[in-house]
Amino acid sequence: METVLSGIRSTGNLHLGNYYGALRNFVKMQQENKCFFFIADYHSLTTHPDPKLLHGNVKNVLTEYLAAGIDPEISTIYVQSDVPEVCELYLLLNMHAYMGELAKTSSFKEKARKHPDNINAGLLTYPTLMAADILMHNADKVPVGKDQEQHLEMTRKFARRFNNLYQVEYFKEPVAYNFGNELIKIPGLDGSGKMGKSEGNCIYLNEDPKSIEKKVKRALTDSGPTVPNSPKPDCIENLFTILKVVSTDDVVAHFEEKWNTAEIRYGDLKKQLAEDIIKTIAPIRERILAIQNDDDYLHKVAMQGREKARESASKTLREVREIMGIRSF
Ligand code: TYM
């Protein structure tokens, strides 16, 4: 049985991008693998969140993992900061992570450009912490969206470097759990390339139908095709990308045909898209509402997860310390 690890930062509520990037097909994923799902609260600290809001955001992600269908009796769900072993592994891996390669990562360059007043060391070493998360359970597969591809590549590099340096075959080189397709990128409704919390263009799993309808209605479109079989502009391609994950093949084929014959009416496309997003989210939203205030249940799940995650993490750390020659008297 292979080990799968999925992580989501605790920066707010989960959106469609998180769902399709990291959780799609979770039933199969959980049945066929030993799965860990965790909430990356340390990672969220790079942007200096309000301490009063941090725990609430961790709770949101925990609730939404469960509501999306992660079963705590089959899988391990835990909070990153509940497993302190990750900090030591992060420190040890940092000894073999080079300034140049960290500074070259696209996510670092982008964040540094957007927030020149907060280019902290946590941001620079973000990929090492992510590698520590993954290598701590020696995961074979990591379900991620397209935006995390480079981080995963760095994890493989760190694993390989460790093995070569200490002449061991200890860490596996994890690959993306890609659900049988290319890594996915769910676009924003604003014509931008990516749905993301910091982009402010998300549809959230706990969003109410009225608000979804409003957002979809307002999604950016152009004036429409004038000749048959024209290429789609980005904003329209984006709507089709979302349609392809939430709607049936028949529905997609219908709108593709309308596009190709230049008869498409964006109002119809948006109405269908909103309807199918609402339908996809409805059962998740219902479960979110049912468990979000059940603090006893959430506490129980988090403590159970912490226990199981620490067991796996401390084993890895013991072995890594041994390999690196760290011994206590
Ligand atoms: P985060 O919190 O930004 O996103 C969590 C997961 O959701 C995916 N995702 C998307 N997939 C497709 N389309 C989108 N628009 C979209 N937006 C987000 C992400 O690819 C990711 O899989 N660094 C990670 C958190 C992390 C992690 C890890 C993940 C920390 N340690 C170890 C896996 C393994 C992050 O910021 O994800």
Side-chain angles (χ1 to χ4, degrees):
M1 200 181 240
E2 291 190 312
T3 300
V4 168
L5 174 96
S6 164
I8 298 183
R9 258 175 316 149
S10 52
T11 44
N13 293 96
L14 299 199
H15 53 78
L16 278 185
N18 297 137
Y19 183 69
Y20 286 104
L23 298 175
R24 200 164 35 133
N25 267 351
F26 56 83
V27 176
K28 189 165 177 276
M29 191 155 80
Q30 289 182 109
Q31 274 166 358
E32 295 177 355
N33 305 281
K34 178 178 180 190
C35 288
F36 292 90
F37 295 90
F38 81 99
I39 300 145
D41 56 344
Y42 282 145
H43 276 100
S44 73
L45 298 178
T46 54
T47 53
H48 303 172
D50 182 343
K52 290 196 271 314
L53 302 181
L54 188 69
H55 184 70
N57 279 334
V58 171
K59 190 174 153 189
N60 284 342
V61 181
L62 174 62
T63 304
E64 291 168 8
Y65 260 139
L66 292 163
I70 306 307
D71 182 346
E73 297 307 320
I74 305 177
S75 301
T76 302
I77 310 183
Y78 68 95
V79 182
Q80 189 181 32
S81 63
D82 271 343
V83 181
E85 287 79 4
V86 74
C87 299
E88 188 175 337
L89 187 57
Y90 167 56
L91 179 139
L92 298 176
L93 291 175
N94 264 332
M95 303 304 162
H96 301 305
Y98 297 106
M99 178 79 189
E101 64 189 346
L102 293 168
K104 256 195 327 217
T105 337
S106 347
S107 58
F108 175 74
K109 285 200 290 194
E110 193 191 319
K111 292 253 163 64
R113 189 173 45 78
K114 277 195 190 154
H115 308 285
D117 52 332
N118 180 23
I119 310 178
N120 59 61
L123 201 59
L124 181 72
T125 56
Y126 188 107
T128 335
L129 182 54
M130 184 155 159
D133 293 324
I134 300 169
L135 300 177
M136 196 164 74
H137 304 297
N138 229 336
D140 299 274
K141 294 206 170 125
V142 188
V144 282
K146 185 107 187 112
D147 60 319
Q148 298 297 319
E149 205 170 24
Q150 196 181 23
H151 287 155
L152 205 52
E153 178 62 48
M154 291 189 74
T155 302
R156 284 194 287 275
K157 200 195 259 186
F158 294 147
R160 216 164 28 239
R161 190 175 291 156
F162 182 93
N163 290 347
N164 286 338
L165 212 73
Y166 296 103
Q167 291 294 300
V168 287
E169 275 183 45
Y170 184 69
F171 285 129
K172 293 179 196 158
E173 291 188 33
V175 296
Y177 187 107
N178 65 2
F179 308 101
N181 297 304
E182 292 249 305
L183 289 190
I184 198 166
K185 180 162 81 177
I186 300 293
L189 290 170
D190 53 356
S192 78
K194 186 189 150 196
M195 184 177 284
K197 275 164 260 186
S198 42
E199 283 78 5
N201 60 7
C202 298
I203 291 192
Y204 294 97
L205 299 186
N206 70 342
E207 195 147 346
D208 70 88
K210 280 267 160 307
S211 162
I212 295 176
E213 269 168 21
K214 216 161 52 198
K215 282 188 179 172
V216 175
K217 213 179 238 173
R218 270 199 258 121
L220 189 75
T221 47
D222 65 348
S223 51
T226 47
V227 286
N229 300 316
S230 23
K232 296 189 191 90
D234 287 348
C235 59
I236 304 303
E237 191 64 62
N238 284 359
L239 298 185
F240 272 87
T241 303
I242 305 179
L243 193 71
K244 279 181 200 148
V245 293
V246 296
S247 301
T248 60
D249 292 348
D250 289 354
V251 167
V252 177
H254 168 79
F255 284 103
E256 288 284 4
E257 194 199 321
K258 291 281 174 205
W259 172 269
N260 286 330
T261 53
E263 288 171 307
I264 196 159
R265 289 203 312 222
Y266 290 147
D268 295 346
L269 172 67
K270 287 179 169 181
K271 188 162 171 286
Q272 181 77 47
L273 184 59
E275 221 171 79
D276 290 338
I277 293 175
I278 291 167
K279 215 190 289 166
T280 304
I281 285 177
I284 304 175
R285 183 165 183 265
E286 217 170 274
R287 285 194 295 267
I288 293 174
L289 297 173
I291 59 173
Q292 67 184 357
N293 294 320
D294 193 345
D295 286 346
D296 288 346
Y297 174 59
L298 297 175
H299 173 80
K300 191 180 132 229
V301 169
M303 289 306 103
Q304 189 178 311
R306 173 188 153 166
E307 196 69 15
K308 287 198 270 175
R310 286 198 74 177
E311 203 180 301
S312 153
S314 53
K315 176 177 179 290
T316 305
L317 201 54
R318 227 179 12 255
E319 290 166 354
V320 168
R321 278 171 147 251
E322 177 74 30
I323 292 168
M324 293 180 76
I326 304 172
R327 273 178 218 141
S328 49
F329 285 93

